[in-house]
């Protein structure tokens, strides 16, 4: 099954390092980041899970729950966790899904046979409180993810979900946003009291509305 932006994120029940969960119930009204790992006891994954644990406060500030998935079993995950904690100087503070039967991997199309017939690629799904997929990213197994970029994207998604703006290239939290084309400049001036700067009739900037 091929997932697309705006689709409802497939629900599932699974064992994790923090107990059995039903995914949609576990998400509740939060945003979520589900991200896959090729295998336990692999070097890149060890750094990525550690980084996520280190950034727990940043994800919480944005109302985002994080959850990882690997096609190894729960016993393997529990043996791996001490390595993650030791290498990164962290306490593992989010669950890892045990997906040895590849149910979650198949639901989310995380196995790409031309890359690896068995291991999952590095997929990332950002899911909104309405349980729909807001962002999908796929990295090869050899490339670790940029978690600063994932936080930046979440900032953009949350801003643009609540205000009539888009974010330009290389935007980061606090930068000016772009007024969406569906709003006239006249209406934009009324809607955005901090000001509107017109570069082109279709390209208008305004200070970030939620700052």
């Amino acid at each position: 099954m091929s997932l697309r932006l705006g689709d409802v994120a497939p629900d599932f029940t699974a064992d994790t390092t923090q107990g059995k969960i039903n995914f949609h119930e576990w998400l509740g009204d939060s945003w979520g980041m589900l991200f896959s790992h090729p295998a336990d006891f692999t070097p890149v994954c060890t750094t990525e899970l550690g980084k996520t644990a280190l950034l727990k406060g940043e994800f919480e500030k944005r109302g985002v729950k994080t959850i990882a998935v690997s096609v190894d079993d729960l016993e393997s995950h529990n043996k791996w966790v001490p390595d993650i904690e030791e290498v990164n100087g962290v306490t593992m503070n989010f669950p890892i899904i045990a997906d040895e039967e590849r149910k979650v991997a198949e639901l989310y199309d995380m196995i790409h046979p031309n890359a690896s017939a068995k291991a999952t690629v590095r997929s990332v799904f950002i899911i909104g409180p309405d349980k729909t997929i807001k962002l999908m990213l796929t990295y090869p197994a050899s490339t670790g993810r940029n978690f600063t970029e994932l936080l930046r994207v979440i900032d953009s998604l949350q801003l643009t979900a609540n205000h009539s703006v888009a974010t330009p290239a290389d935007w980061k939290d606090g930068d000016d946003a772009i007024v969406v084309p569906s709003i006239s400049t006249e209406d934009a001036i009324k809607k955005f009291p901090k000001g509107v700067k017109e570069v082109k009739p279709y390209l208008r900037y305004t200070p970030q509305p939620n700052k």
Side-chain angles (χ1 to χ4, degrees), residues 8 22 29 31 44 111 118 123 131 136 146-147 163 187 193 199 208:
V8 173
N22 171 270
D29 295 327
W31 287 71
V44 177
I111 294 179
K118 296 179 181 178
S123 299
K131 308 296 186 293
M136 298 185 293
N146 183 328
F147 285 82
H163 300 274
D187 288 341
V199 177
Q208 186 171 328

Side-chain angles (χ1 to χ4, degrees), residues 12-111:
F12 56 85
T13 299
D15 290 319
T16 81
T17 51
Q18 294 185 2
K20 192 162 195 161
I21 66 157
N22 171 270
F23 186 52
H24 281 191
E25 284 181 12
W26 177 82
L27 278 175
D29 295 327
S30 299
W31 287 71
M33 185 175 82
L34 170 67
F35 60 121
S36 58
H37 297 271
D40 293 356
F41 299 100
T42 52
V44 177
C45 303
T46 301
T47 66
E48 289 188 320
L49 289 171
K51 187 68 173 180
T52 305
L54 283 167
L55 291 171
K56 182 178 177 65
E58 292 298 320
F59 285 109
E60 285 183 341
K61 195 163 70 177
R62 294 161 172 84
V64 179
K65 290 182 174 181
T66 58
I67 188 164
V69 58
S70 168
V71 294
D72 291 307
D73 61 27
L74 196 57
E75 184 181 0
S76 174
H77 289 354
N78 286 327
K79 287 179 180 175
W80 183 32
V81 163
D83 283 6
I84 297 165
E85 294 182 331
E86 178 190 345
V87 168
N88 298 282
V90 296
T91 299
M92 274 299 288
N93 46 34
F94 63 94
I96 309 171
I97 295 164
D99 191 36
E100 64 268 34
E101 294 180 7
R102 294 169 171 71
K103 290 179 180 176
V104 177
E106 288 174 7
L107 275 176
Y108 283 82
D109 195 23
M110 292 169 167
I111 294 179

